[in-house]
Amino acid sequence: MTPAELSRTVLRSVRGAVEERELSVPVPARIVVQPPPRPGCGDYASNVALQLAKPAGRPAREVAEILRKRLAGTAGIDRVEIAGPGFLNFTLGDGALVALVRDVLAQGTAYGDRSAGNRPVADLVSADPAPVGRVSTGRASAGRPGPGARAAVVGEVLERIGAAAGWTGRADGHPALVPVPDDLATLTARLGTDEARWILLRPAAHDPVRVPERPVQRESNPRFRVQYAHARTRALVRNAADLGFLSEPGGVGAPAADGSGAEFRPAPASAHALHTLLAGHPSVVEAAARLRAPDRLVRHLEATADAFFRWHDDCPPLPVGEQKPLAVHRARLALAEATGTVLANGLRLLGISAPEHL
């Protein structure tokens, strides 16, 4: 279940409460659900009850209880809890995770990309974009000054992100960027294409770019960590094929004590955290386009890679030792493969390579 799907589910519960006169409020156009600010508060949270309390003339927790009862037992939702003054916290069931993995794998490169269906004219920036995989130098052309290395790369990426988000309008101009003193050719020669693009795209527009002396190929480098996570997902698929099994979405919790694979424990918190990030990828792409902030996508990829490694440590996707491949291994491989799909799609939007080996 994606945030958009959960939002629509909560909206239906509000509409139902209004139609059956449990609540007397205007039905909002949309309801915001997002990851909670702290661990241990479910997978998503919403303040809809607090927003409806005043027009309803009732305490927010009372409104929340009306909605909680309506949402309890909904397919894909394991628990709905009320927190604080009236927040609704949602914990998704394992079935929602399975459905998401199946959806990501089915869509492949189209997951988080609306451009194929909408054929948008996403002319979001004034800079001439470079094609995917090529880097504009930001130098002067046709008698006008170049926009600078950072603006050239940001402009190119925003056009691609805008198309993926399904934009059909036009938004002229760059966000106000702190410039970098070096041109792109110098940065590329010094750092390599991927590292140069990453350091230009990672900071928010108002933050300066910190140029390292040289690229660092270890996990302390966020760009390396994201590419390494993608390469690891691809290695898992190759290694599983060598062991004679393929991915199949399913429960990723540990097998039952008898090891039969017939029953599984619930998915651990690390799996739910990874699920939330994978489900949020389309929304992040849309927000990056709307706010003209590619750094949002960069940081989302970093968070996804870090969540993948934590889950991987909790739930090894491959059999260990003499263990035979079980259904749980096929399911974990599917989640790893879906993670690789999201990482590759995000890196492609940034014009950065998604290596199969690293």
Side-chain angles (χ1 to χ4, degrees):
M1 181 176 288
T2 66
E5 291 168 339
L6 181 56
S7 175
R8 290 192 292 269
T9 299
V10 178
L11 183 59
R12 284 195 295 271
S13 75
V14 173
R15 187 176 293 114
V18 170
E19 291 173 351
E20 296 181 17
R21 299 188 178 182
E22 289 185 283
L23 291 174
S24 179
V25 295
V27 178
R30 62 187 295 265
I31 290 172
V32 175
V33 297
Q34 55 191 5
R38 297 183 306 278
C41 298
D43 297 314
Y44 295 101
S46 176
N47 65 350
V48 60
L50 281 80
Q51 294 175 341
L52 297 178
K54 185 175 181 179
R58 304 170 76 166
R61 288 186 65 92
E62 191 174 307
V63 175
E65 178 60 21
I66 292 171
L67 299 180
R68 187 197 68 78
K69 289 180 179 178
R70 286 183 163 273
L71 290 162
T74 300
I77 299 177
D78 187 45
R79 293 194 311 277
V80 184
E81 298 169 309
I82 302 173
F87 292 100
L88 286 171
N89 291 344
F90 303 92
T91 300
L92 303 184
D94 289 355
L97 191 153
V98 175
L100 173 74
V101 170
R102 186 172 286 114
D103 187 39
V104 173
L105 295 180
Q107 293 192 45
T109 58
Y111 183 68
D113 187 346
R114 303 177 187 174
S115 60
N118 293 346
R119 303 186 66 181
V121 181
D123 192 4
L124 296 179
V125 292
S126 58
D128 295 330
V132 178
R134 291 178 56 191
V135 180
S136 169
T137 63
R139 294 173 179 169
S141 62
R144 57 188 174 91
R150 188 179 185 187
V153 172
V154 168
E156 170 206 329
V157 170
L158 280 177
E159 178 137 346
R160 199 150 52 241
I161 290 176
W167 281 61
T168 57
R170 180 184 179 93
D172 292 322
H174 293 288
L177 298 167
V178 177
V180 291
D182 298 318
D183 64 31
L184 198 44
T186 301
L187 288 174
T188 301
R190 177 174 161 185
L191 302 174
T193 299
D194 286 350
E195 183 74 2
R197 294 178 71 89
W198 189 272
I199 66 160
L200 294 173
L201 293 166
R202 188 175 190 265
H206 58 271
D207 290 333
V209 172
R210 297 179 180 178
V211 181
E213 288 296 322
R214 59 184 182 277
V216 178
Q217 296 292 97
R218 55 175 179 263
E219 291 185 25
S220 60
N221 180 344
R223 185 269 311 162
F224 175 83
R225 201 160 61 244
V226 170
Q227 289 182 313
Y228 178 58
H230 176 266
R232 179 60 183 154
T233 67
R234 301 309 303 155
L236 289 170
V237 173
R238 292 192 299 271
N239 293 341
D242 291 341
L243 293 173
F245 74 97
L246 301 174
S247 66
E248 176 61 37
V252 298
D258 61 2
S260 66
E263 295 181 356
F264 302 98
R265 301 187 183 99
S270 57
H272 283 276
L274 181 56
H275 167 278
T276 299
L277 288 160
L278 300 184
H281 174 70
S283 298
V284 170
V285 172
E286 190 279 331
R290 175 169 42 85
L291 301 173
R292 293 187 295 158
D295 59 286
R296 286 182 170 245
L297 177 57
V298 172
R299 294 179 187 280
H300 182 260
L301 294 180
E302 291 178 14
T304 302
D306 291 342
F308 167 74
F309 286 124
R310 286 192 293 270
W311 167 76
H312 181 281
D313 291 342
D314 287 344
C315 303
L318 300 180
V320 178
E322 299 299 317
Q323 188 181 26
K324 299 293 185 182
L326 301 172
V328 69
H329 297 118
R330 294 192 290 273
R332 291 174 180 177
L333 182 65
L335 179 52
E337 194 172 0
T339 303
T341 297
V342 168
L343 293 173
N345 290 355
L347 287 168
R348 184 177 63 254
L349 291 176
L350 300 176
I352 295 174
S353 66
E356 295 277 322
H357 305 267
L358 198 62

